[in-house]
Amino acid sequence: MIKLPPEDIDRILDYLYDDFKTLGACALAGRVMLPSARFHRFSNIKLSPWDNRPLLPLLDSADLARFITSVTAVYMGLRDPRCEFGFLRQLPCLCKLVVVTPPPQQFPMKALFVIASYAPVTLTSLTLFGPGETTPSRLFSALSALGTLEELGLQYITIDNEDTISYAPPPPPRLQRLIFHKCSDPAIVVAWLQEHNAKSPYSRCNIPCEDRKMSRSLAP
């Protein structure tokens, strides 16, 4: 029997990163293939409201949580956000979270506070797909709790700026990249970041924005 070095086996499994059926077979075939097969199978997962319930006991009973680094979750508002996003507390290595809210549902800002409370310190990227409505005070309060956040995406989110006059916003996270798409008044977010530039360690970092309407606001 020909035995391949572990690094060669890992390279072969790299080509199977999106073939979940084959990865499952490899994970059962031998211990040498188990870590790489689990990494590719679980590093990026997608959850619907009906998927996260069986996921939680699976994370409790198996050493899978550390392999999950990216999650795309469909939020339907069927249950309390604390139940919908409870799985975040069991993912110590999560780096990227995408929350999709299909219309006509609305993404509630209370869910963002739950995400900020449950997300691990490793989370660096957050994208919210609306529709949804919020105010600067609620949005900034939740985002400020995500101190390690480097990338923020807001799509189809309406920001009502009626409370900006009397509101003193908290310090923002270490954002380095903003992505706006069909987001009302994203200049409020940019102004929040620029207001704290002089006081923050990231004051000299470039904060690019992929929304053409905001290119002037971000110019030095």
Side-chain angles (χ1 to χ4, degrees):
M1 178 182 292
I2 300 177
K3 293 186 178 181
L4 296 175
E7 54 270 21
D8 289 343
I9 295 177
D10 291 342
R11 183 168 298 181
I12 293 173
L13 291 177
D14 288 344
Y15 287 98
L16 304 172
Y17 70 95
D18 59 349
D19 188 343
F20 293 159
K21 184 177 181 179
T22 303
L23 288 173
C26 292
L28 297 174
R31 292 184 178 179
V32 68
M33 291 185 284
L34 182 58
S36 292
R38 277 185 170 180
F39 170 78
H40 290 299
R41 175 60 183 88
F42 295 103
S43 61
N44 186 358
I45 64 175
K46 297 181 180 180
L47 294 176
S48 70
W50 303 274
D51 293 333
N52 56 0
R53 291 185 181 182
L55 174 68
L56 296 181
L58 184 64
L59 296 178
D60 289 334
S61 61
D63 186 22
L64 297 178
R66 62 187 179 91
F67 291 101
I68 301 176
T69 58
S70 176
V71 172
T72 299
V74 178
Y75 180 75
M76 297 291 293
L78 301 178
R79 298 187 298 164
D80 188 284
R82 292 172 293 182
C83 298
E84 293 284 354
F85 296 102
F87 65 88
L88 293 175
R89 294 177 293 184
Q90 297 175 266
L91 303 180
C93 300
L94 184 67
C95 298
K96 181 179 180 180
L97 176 63
V98 178
V99 181
V100 180
T101 306
Q105 301 294 329
Q106 292 274 333
F107 178 79
M109 278 301 110
K110 64 178 181 180
L112 183 56
F113 284 93
V114 173
I115 293 173
S117 300
Y118 290 172
V121 295
T122 55
L123 185 68
T124 58
S125 177
L126 174 64
T127 300
L128 303 178
F129 282 88
E133 295 183 4
T134 185
T135 60
S137 59
R138 295 177 64 84
L139 179 64
F140 298 162
S141 296
L143 292 178
S144 64
L146 296 168
T148 58
L149 201 65
E150 297 178 359
E151 178 177 296
L152 173 65
L154 298 176
Q155 308 202 31
Y156 299 97
I157 300 293
T158 300
I159 304 176
D160 185 359
N161 63 356
E162 63 180 6
D163 67 346
T164 55
I165 298 177
S166 58
Y167 175 65
R174 298 175 178 270
L175 289 172
Q176 299 180 21
R177 189 180 185 212
L178 295 174
I179 303 173
F180 296 116
H181 181 70
K182 303 295 182 179
C183 178
S184 71
D185 212 354
I188 297 177
V189 180
V190 177
W192 176 46
L193 298 174
Q194 293 176 339
E195 179 181 349
H196 290 270
N197 271 349
K199 305 176 183 179
S200 305
Y202 50 85
S203 58
R204 297 184 180 180
C205 291
N206 294 324
I207 307 178
C209 176
E210 296 184 359
D211 191 315
R212 294 182 180 179
K213 295 180 180 179
M214 292 305 304
S215 58
R216 297 180 181 178
S217 300
L218 291 172

